[in-house]
Amino acid sequence: MLGIGAYRPKRLITNDQLCRVMDSSDQWIYERSGIKARRWISGDETMRSMSAAAADRAIINSGIDREKIGMLILATSSWPWNVPHGAPIVAYDIGLNGIPAFDVAAGCGGFGYALGVAADAIRAGSAEYVVVIGVETMSVGLDPRDRSTGFIFGDGAGAVVVGPSEVNGIGPIVSGSDGENAEAIKQNHDTVEYMARAVEYQGKDPETDPVGRMIIKMEGPRVFRWAAVTLPRALTKMLTESGAGPDDIEVFVPHQANARINDLMKKNLGLPENIPMANDIETTANTSAASIPLAIEEMLATGKAKGGELALILGFGAGLSYAGTVATLPPAPKVTSFDGLDDAEPGALAVHLAGIVD
């Protein structure tokens, strides 16, 4: 990974603000998740604009000539259209129209899968430099009144430039899935059925409209149990296949889904107590496929981690699936997602969420 870039939406939603529409409290949310706030898109911010901004910053921070980029991979599960997919549009937006560009949809593990495809493409000679983007607008598919999911997710984009190196900087990608438990995280409607019902009830009284909104539903305890059993095995396999031991790992970057799960994984792996561990979840929440690059960027930008350090990286979630690796961190970014970032005025809730406004 030769360079990293990110984009964080301007609007910051604290737990106290969210609890104006959700029957909960700042303490209850923080104790169960480690989340104090999250960022949601507002104004003219979109997945497209965030992706382009993050990719541009990654290219600038890498120092690689733009014309040498030969592939773009977009990891996301919330791109608003099935057709056209997002990667070609983002490639065009950043001046790379015509290169191979495609989407990877693997939930919260999407960035890990995309990073593996990029590294393998370079090793095979299919591309010299690849831009990998993780981006989500999770707020669009949320009901902020739902105590199971309304406080968990945030929006954002992160990107890296992957390129050749004399020393291997990205280890084997360890990944897997569990379709038996897939419905532990799912949308509440079948897409085709939902669209048909929406057309049928178009223009009718909303009080009798049974369609509702398409939102994300999650069985938290079921996901937690799966993570507690599956992820330690996956992390151990990453260390084994990379040839690294716990003492070799200098930074731990787990998916920012739940601080309790992350603490448990760190303990079970026997990682040193003082090892730097990503905690971007506290003010960014769970951004799904954008989680890992956003967390890495935050650690490098704030000095919690340094470029060149060996990191253990793991994304996991919907699918249920996971993907991770042992990798060398890119250099600290010169242009960061925190540059000129101003929070929205207190009390502002996203207008597009179920018509609920502050």
Side-chain angles (χ1 to χ4, degrees), residues 55 69-74 87-88 90-91 94 96 99-102 130-131 133:
I69 305 295
M71 182 180 292
L72 187 146
I73 307 173
L74 186 73
V90 176
I94 62 174
L96 295 174
I99 67 171
F102 55 94
V130 181
V131 171
I133 306 168

Side-chain angles (χ1 to χ4, degrees), residues 7 23 41 46 64 67 93 96-97 112 114 125 133 151 159 175 194 198 203 230 259 273 278 298 302 315-316 327:
Y7 182 91
D23 182 18
I41 57 170
T46 64
I64 301 300
E67 58 268 20
D93 287 347
L96 295 174
N97 196 42
I133 306 168
F151 65 89
S175 56
Y194 179 81
T230 306
E273 182 65 28
E298 189 272 340
T302 58
F316 57 90

Side-chain angles (χ1 to χ4, degrees), residues 249-308:
I249 301 301
E250 297 171 288
V251 182
F252 184 33
V253 189
H255 172 47
Q256 301 297 285
N258 186 294
R260 294 165 59 197
I261 292 178
N262 294 345
D263 287 336
L264 182 63
M265 288 192 293
K266 175 184 171 182
K267 180 179 180 180
N268 288 343
L269 273 173
L271 295 174
E273 182 65 28
N274 61 348
I275 190 173
M277 183 174 75
N279 192 38
D280 197 38
I281 188 174
E282 190 169 284
T283 56
T284 305
N286 180 352
T287 52
S288 188
S291 167
I292 295 296
L294 280 171
I296 293 175
E297 194 251 8
E298 189 272 340
M299 295 190 80
L300 292 171
T302 58
K304 298 172 186 175
K306 298 178 181 179

Side-chain angles (χ1 to χ4, degrees), residues 38-283:
R38 72 286 295 143
R39 293 190 177 273
W40 288 345
I41 57 170
S42 62
D44 59 357
E45 294 172 326
T46 64
M47 291 191 73
R48 180 174 179 173
S49 67
M50 291 195 300
S51 299
D56 265 329
R57 289 170 175 171
I59 294 171
I60 292 170
N61 289 328
S62 73
I64 301 300
D65 291 337
R66 191 175 298 258
E67 58 268 20
K68 291 185 177 180
I69 305 295
M71 182 180 292
L72 187 146
I73 307 173
L74 186 73
T76 183
S77 294
S78 55
W79 188 259
W81 301 282
N82 289 327
V83 181
H85 58 289
I89 297 172
V90 176
Y92 167 76
D93 287 347
I94 62 174
L96 295 174
N97 196 42
I99 67 171
F102 55 94
D103 294 6
V104 170
C108 300
F111 180 80
Y113 279 97
L115 185 65
V117 172
D120 289 347
I122 293 168
R123 292 186 180 107
S126 300
E128 186 177 11
Y129 296 96
V130 181
V131 171
V132 178
I133 306 168
V135 61
E136 304 284 9
T137 50
M138 302 300 291
S139 66
V140 176
L142 287 181
D143 181 348
R145 298 162 296 189
D146 186 347
R147 282 167 56 94
S148 67
T149 59
F151 65 89
I152 293 175
F153 296 103
D155 304 336
V160 294
V161 174
V162 182
S165 173
E166 293 182 1
V167 180
N168 189 15
I170 300 175
I173 300 295
V174 172
S175 56
S177 65
D178 180 7
E180 182 179 0
N181 286 297
E183 293 197 353
I185 304 175
K186 66 176 183 178
Q187 63 191 41
N188 62 335
H189 293 294
D190 172 278
T191 302
V192 175
E193 177 186 351
Y194 179 81
M195 294 305 298
R197 291 170 62 193
V199 170
E200 178 184 354
Y201 283 90
Q202 187 174 13
K204 295 186 178 181
D205 183 357
E207 295 297 325
T208 61
D209 184 348
V211 179
R213 297 177 65 246
M214 186 178 290
I215 59 174
I216 297 171
K217 305 294 289 184
M218 182 172 69
E219 299 176 40
R222 186 176 175 184
V223 175
F224 192 96
R225 289 192 298 271
W226 171 82
V229 173
T230 306
L231 301 184
R233 297 174 183 169
L235 289 164
T236 300
K237 187 177 181 180
M238 286 176 211
L239 294 175
T240 300
E241 295 200 3
S242 69
D247 293 339
D248 298 315
I249 301 301
E250 297 171 288
V251 182
F252 184 33
V253 189
H255 172 47
Q256 301 297 285
N258 186 294
R260 294 165 59 197
I261 292 178
N262 294 345
D263 287 336
L264 182 63
M265 288 192 293
K266 175 184 171 182
K267 180 179 180 180
N268 288 343
L269 273 173
L271 295 174
E273 182 65 28
N274 61 348
I275 190 173
M277 183 174 75
N279 192 38
D280 197 38
I281 188 174
E282 190 169 284
T283 56

